[in-house]
């Protein structure tokens, strides 16, 4: 794209969220441009994502959105209207065991699962031990630092799990964003890569597109902030945020790659994902008989808040590697803890209640899909539709604040009141205060 151009909507950010929004805006008839400062698609949080698809959220909207999105991943080629299935990310259905923990009890999810139609099984400790051979079913809560003696104390009891057989992961999160970008392009969306948005100019009160670092301007009456962990800075550029009740902040994260414990992955397949807030870790299978190990923000570990996402130290550190993998090895005693840290570093865009903000703002024409809190990769196919519905309602004179969009999910028929993701909502007190949302 050369020179100044005008479109109907500019999306800032070509991660999994921005590309999905661009696709759905284009499908609903808008001329769209997506701008990213990176030279490719999905180079932000998306590229570092563990891409776990699970349904345990603390709200109806969270559960219903994740359950709907899983249908999109399962039928990814259809979701994209892709001409061929080659070169598409794949959904690996492995099931997920959420180990019992008071912070996120089964009783919080089961009524929501029943309402949404999410399949589940309740496991006691004996069943967990049978279904996940090699697991230590001890209850260790609360998580402690691995340098504390307490970490090695005997368990205080045993725990079971809430198992969801339809959970899993997406094989390659960056490829998934690329797939969405390709689908968007087929609908005429322009991708402007390697260009930073440096200003969000206005015409009167309303946004009037974006200004790029090279001085070009893309004119548009609608601008969507899908800038991931950089989203707070973009809100500042647009002068949005004064009426938000929920703040967002970048937080550094590490996810580690280790060889899986013996027998975890079935031959040629993938073992089940485990969310273990009891010890403060989560894990899922990876190709080549590997294992990804991440953290669930145990209160004993320092949180790595960042003033600027670009300040994030880019390599995994021995300290975080040892903490996360040793916790996983406490749960699966045959898991080895390699000497050298290996894995990826990424940055979450954490909302105060770990629930995203999908909304309009008080700046006419400026919309946000932010605060994805380390848990919204899975929802991206549906988030695109949320934003298209909100833009449609507001740009046609509707008042999404007073009369919020009630989104009806295509695959499941669930009705989702999008005020659950409002910038002006009360802080979600039911949130676990972790990546679980
Ligand atoms: C380590 C890690 C593990 C995760 N694991 C999971 C998981 O298992 N399951 C799950 O559901 N979610 C997970 N997540 C969360 C999920 O990956 C994110 O919610 C999702 O990728 C956010 O996508 P996004 O498009 O909003 O942001 P990003 O992918 O960060 O994209 C934002 C884009 O905006 C661009 N940008 C920023 N500022 C500007 C500017 N001024 N001008 C132009 N472009 C700009 C950036 O270059 C970037 O490409 C994880 C996240 C991380 C970091």
């Amino acid at each position: 794209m050369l020179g100044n151009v005008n479109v109907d909507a500019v999306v800032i950010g070509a991660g999994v969220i921005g590309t999905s929004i661009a696709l759905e805006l284009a499908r609903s008839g808008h001329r769209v441009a997506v701008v990213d400062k990176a030279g490719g698609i999905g180079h932000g949080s998306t590229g570092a994502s563990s891409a776990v698809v699970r349904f345990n959220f603390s709200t109806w909207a969270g559960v219903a959105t994740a359950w709907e999105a899983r249908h999109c991943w399962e039928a990814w080629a259809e979701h994209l209207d892709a001409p061929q299935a080659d070169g598409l990310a794949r959904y690996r259905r492995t099931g997920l065991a959420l180990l019992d923990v008071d912070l996120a009890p089964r009783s919080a999810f089961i009524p929501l699962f029943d309402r949404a139609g999410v399949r589940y099984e309740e496991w006691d400790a004996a069943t967990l031990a049978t279904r996940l051979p090699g697991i230590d079913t001890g209850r260790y809560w609360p998580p402690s630092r691995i340098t504390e003696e307490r970490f090695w104390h005997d368990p205080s009891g045993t725990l079971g799990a809430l198992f969801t057989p339809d959970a899993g992961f997406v094989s390659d999160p960056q490829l998934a964003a690329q797939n969405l970008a390709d689908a968007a392009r087929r609908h005429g969306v322009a991708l402007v890569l390697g260009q930073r948005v440096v200003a969000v100019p206005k015409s009167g009160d309303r946004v009037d597109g974006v200004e790029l670092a090279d001085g070009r301007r893309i004119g548009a009456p609608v601008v969507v902030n899908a800038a991931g962990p950089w989203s707070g800075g973009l809100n500042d550029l647009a002068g949005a945020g004064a009426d938000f009740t929920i703040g967002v902040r970048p937080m550094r994260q590490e996810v580690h790659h280790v060889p899986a414990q013996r027998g975890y992955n079935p031959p040629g397949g993938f073992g089940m994902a485990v969310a273990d807030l009891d010890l403060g870790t989560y894990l899922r299978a990876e190709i080549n008989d590997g294992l990804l190990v991440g953290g669930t923000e145990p209160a004993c570990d320092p949180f790595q808040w960042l003033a600027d996402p670009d300040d994030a130290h880019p390599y995994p550190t021995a300290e975080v590697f040892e903490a996360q993998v040793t916790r996983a090895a406490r749960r699966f005693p045959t898991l080895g803890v390699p000497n050298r840290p290996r894995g990826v570093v990424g940055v979450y865009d954490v909302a105060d209640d770990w629930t995203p903000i999908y909304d309009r703002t008080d700046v006419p024409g400026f919309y946000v899909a932010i605060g994805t809190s380390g848990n919204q990769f899975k929802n991206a196919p549906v988030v695109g539709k949320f934003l298209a519905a909100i833009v449609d309602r507001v740009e046609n004179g509707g008042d999404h604040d007073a009369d919020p969009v009630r989104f009806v999910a295509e695959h499941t028929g669930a009705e989702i009141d999008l005020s659950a993701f409002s910038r002006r909502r009360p802080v979600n007190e039911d949130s676990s205060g972790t990546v679980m949302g």
Side-chain angles (χ1 to χ4, degrees):
M1 186 193 282
L2 295 171
N4 295 339
V5 290
N6 291 305
V7 292
D8 301 324
V10 175
V11 178
I12 305 170
V16 74
I17 298 285
T19 51
S20 177
I21 294 168
L23 172 61
E24 299 305 336
L25 284 171
R27 279 178 169 159
S28 53
H30 300 276
R31 290 173 307 145
V32 183
V34 183
V35 183
D36 203 296
K37 64 188 174 62
I41 305 294
H43 286 201
S45 315
T46 298
S49 187
S50 304
V52 173
V53 176
R54 60 169 170 86
F55 318 114
N56 312 76
F57 280 91
S58 56
T59 61
W60 160 250
V63 171
T65 304
W67 185 235
E68 170 70 11
R70 164 250 162 183
H71 291 76
C72 303
W73 293 116
E74 292 254 24
W76 193 226
E78 289 80 0
H79 178 78
L80 300 167
D81 286 326
Q84 57 190 39
D86 286 358
L88 300 185
R90 292 186 60 183
Y91 185 58
R92 304 290 188 181
R93 181 178 168 278
T94 60
L96 176 136
L98 172 73
L99 305 191
D100 288 337
V101 67
D102 289 347
L103 189 65
R106 296 177 193 195
S107 57
F109 304 117
I110 287 176
L112 300 175
F113 284 180
D114 286 338
R115 183 172 160 198
V118 177
R119 298 192 303 151
Y120 63 88
E121 295 170 26
E122 293 193 74
W123 290 353
D124 58 14
T127 312
L128 177 60
T130 315
R131 296 293 297 269
L132 260 170
I135 194 170
D136 171 347
T137 59
R139 183 184 295 275
Y140 294 101
W141 181 264
S144 44
R145 294 178 72 76
I146 60 164
T147 47
E148 286 176 57
E149 207 194 305
R150 205 195 149 270
F151 181 79
W152 303 103
H153 285 182
D154 288 340
S156 59
T158 58
L159 43 70
L162 183 60
F163 176 65
T164 39
D166 296 304
F169 67 92
V170 175
S171 63
D172 181 339
Q174 195 171 355
L175 178 61
Q178 183 69 54
N179 296 156
L180 287 162
D182 291 341
R185 220 187 245 127
R186 289 194 294 275
H187 282 82
V189 172
L191 297 169
V192 183
L193 300 176
Q195 280 296 329
R196 182 186 296 270
V197 169
V198 293
V200 181
K202 308 258 173 62
S203 170
D205 287 348
R206 172 171 274 276
V207 295
D208 192 22
V210 297
E211 195 177 304
L212 308 181
D214 69 358
R216 280 183 296 166
R217 192 159 165 166
I218 305 176
V222 167
V223 174
V224 183
N225 176 0
W230 295 268
S231 68
L234 265 302
N235 277 356
D236 292 345
L237 278 187
D243 68 343
F244 282 46
T245 53
I246 309 286
V248 294
R249 276 165 88 186
M251 180 194 272
R252 183 179 178 279
Q253 288 288 330
E254 296 185 18
V255 175
H256 302 114
H257 294 192
V258 292
Q261 62 275 29
R262 218 173 336 105
Y264 169 73
N265 288 311
F270 298 100
M272 105 185 31
V274 179
D276 183 4
L277 278 77
D278 182 69
L279 277 164
T281 187
Y282 72 84
L283 52 89
R284 71 131 163 107
E286 181 57 311
I287 51 164
N288 297 331
D289 206 16
L291 193 71
L292 286 192
V293 182
T296 58
E297 293 74 48
C300 58
D301 286 2
F303 288 1
Q304 298 190 34
W305 295 112
L306 301 168
D308 180 339
D310 294 323
D311 294 343
H313 174 66
Y315 304 111
T317 57
E319 189 190 352
V320 181
F321 178 82
E322 275 166 26
Q324 291 188 169
V325 181
T326 306
R327 288 188 179 116
R330 188 93 172 109
R331 188 59 73 200
F332 290 92
T334 60
L335 180 70
V337 184
N339 291 330
R340 264 171 199 276
R342 196 166 152 248
V344 295
V345 169
V347 182
Y348 290 171
D349 185 33
V350 178
D352 292 343
D353 55 5
W354 295 79
T355 300
I357 308 173
Y358 302 133
D359 203 358
R360 57 167 295 173
T361 66
D362 60 342
V363 176
F366 192 72
Y367 296 80
V368 288
I370 66 175
T372 57
S373 303
N375 58 42
Q376 293 293 303
F377 175 87
K378 63 181 70 57
N379 289 342
V382 182
V383 172
K385 293 173 191 278
F386 285 172
L387 264 291
I390 295 170
V391 168
D392 184 53
R393 165 72 64 88
V394 175
E395 295 304 314
N396 285 304
D399 185 346
H400 176 59
D401 289 333
D403 179 19
V405 172
R406 301 181 82 81
F407 180 88
V408 178
E410 181 188 330
H411 297 282
T412 61
E415 187 176 291
I416 305 168
D417 179 341
L418 297 191
S419 66
F421 305 114
S422 164
R423 72 200 184 283
R424 304 200 310 191
R425 65 178 181 252
V427 168
N428 170 14
E429 299 291 348
D430 294 331
S431 166
S432 65
T434 75
V435 69
M436 296 298 287

